[in-house]
Amino acid sequence: MSYLKDLQGTMTSAKRKNAKKDFFAFYVGRPMSYVLTIPFLYLKTMPNTISVISTIEVVIAAIVLSTATSPAMGAIGMLLFFLWNLLDGVDGNIARLKKISSPMGSVYDAMSGYAAMFLFFFSSGIYAFHITNDSWGFVQIIIGAISGMAQLFPRLVMHKAKSEMNNANGANSLSDKGSYGFVKILGLNLTSISGMVQPLLLIAIFTNTTVLFNLVYCIINVMLMLITLFKILHNE
């Protein structure tokens, strides 16, 4: 119980304020990540090791979802993505608790997150291909790939803008969740890879609406990508 209480107090007030904007991640994923962190603390596992484990785990999740041919197997793949969600919080929990955060640790953590952003939507597209019987089913793979790319690409541009141009008015403002209004908070909750997109895909799998899920999210992700790129590139 001591570890659990200590973990709950590791977040700064500023980080907590930002994290609260992503409702599913904060109120569901984060509390469960605290529980999952405890055995790693007893095993004295380093945060970077957990980041590597979570990267491997998200690849396994993508393989399971991509090869699934039934809702039951699709749900298992989705639950493995949720396990990645929890593991993605464990490394940061330990780093803050042990006060061993580092720039390289942030790089390891980003490696896992970037992999998840693309693989989640791409594997969802492949899953939809398997359950689609018509001759145009392969389009689902293309939709999934575009959706995953649209999730990942603006983040890469944003980080490049930060490092090369110190783009405070563009890139930095976009990553500051503390200034988000209603529309941005809604967009964050709908598209965050550790947020509502996970339970929504699980619902789509059980209701056999994964094709619709992929199409809607492809449109949303591409629109947000274009808006984000416009804001970054017009605030040099």
Side-chain angles (χ1 to χ4, degrees):
M1 289 298 294
S2 176
Y3 266 144
L4 188 58
K5 185 176 180 180
D6 291 343
L7 286 166
Q8 291 170 341
T10 56
M11 293 183 70
T12 64
S13 58
K15 183 174 178 61
R16 182 179 294 274
K17 181 180 179 182
N18 278 345
K20 279 184 175 180
K21 300 294 176 67
D22 194 346
F23 304 135
F24 182 82
F26 184 81
Y27 292 105
V28 179
R30 188 167 294 276
M32 294 178 71
S33 78
Y34 290 148
V35 177
L36 185 60
T37 301
I38 294 175
F40 287 104
L41 285 169
Y42 281 113
L43 292 171
K44 302 186 185 303
T45 312
M46 296 299 291
N48 289 352
T49 302
I50 298 169
S51 295
V52 172
I53 292 172
S54 68
T55 302
I56 295 171
E57 197 279 336
V58 81
V59 171
I60 294 172
I63 292 172
V64 173
L65 182 57
S66 297
T67 57
T69 55
S70 68
M73 285 302 298
I76 292 173
M78 182 55 247
L79 291 175
L80 287 173
F81 270 107
F82 182 65
L83 177 58
W84 163 81
N85 188 357
L86 302 186
L87 286 170
D88 188 52
V90 170
D91 53 2
N93 293 339
I94 293 178
R96 289 189 297 272
L97 181 66
K98 298 295 185 181
K99 294 181 172 57
I100 51 176
S101 300
S102 68
M104 184 52 67
S106 180
V107 173
Y108 272 83
D109 183 57
M111 174 178 66
S112 168
Y114 285 164
M117 286 176 194
F118 178 78
L119 290 175
F120 181 88
F121 291 103
F122 185 49
S123 57
S124 175
I126 299 175
Y127 169 74
F129 164 74
H130 287 305
I131 64 170
T132 302
N133 296 321
D134 60 62
S135 58
W136 288 93
F138 72 92
V139 173
Q140 285 298 309
I141 300 177
I142 299 173
I143 289 173
I146 293 173
S147 190
M149 179 275 293
Q151 266 268 321
L152 184 57
F153 184 65
R155 287 167 172 80
L156 299 178
V157 176
M158 181 170 63
H159 286 299
K160 186 66 173 178
K162 282 184 177 181
S163 63
E164 294 291 336
M165 302 168 57
N166 192 24
N167 192 340
N169 291 328
N172 289 341
S173 62
L174 286 168
S175 60
D176 179 18
K177 298 184 181 68
S179 62
Y180 279 15
F182 174 77
V183 175
K184 285 187 177 181
I185 291 174
L186 179 62
L188 171 68
N189 280 272
L190 285 175
T191 61
S192 168
I193 201 65
S194 57
M196 284 301 298
V197 66
Q198 293 195 355
L200 288 176
L201 177 56
L202 187 61
I203 292 171
I205 288 172
F206 280 125
T207 57
N208 198 29
T209 56
T210 316
V211 170
L212 178 62
F213 171 91
N214 290 334
L215 179 60
V216 170
Y217 263 98
C218 183
I219 294 171
I220 291 174
N221 287 337
V222 169
M223 286 179 61
L224 288 178
M225 177 188 70
L226 294 175
I227 292 170
T228 302
L229 290 175
F230 178 82
K231 289 185 175 181
I232 294 171
L233 299 175
H234 283 76
N235 284 280
E236 308 87 11

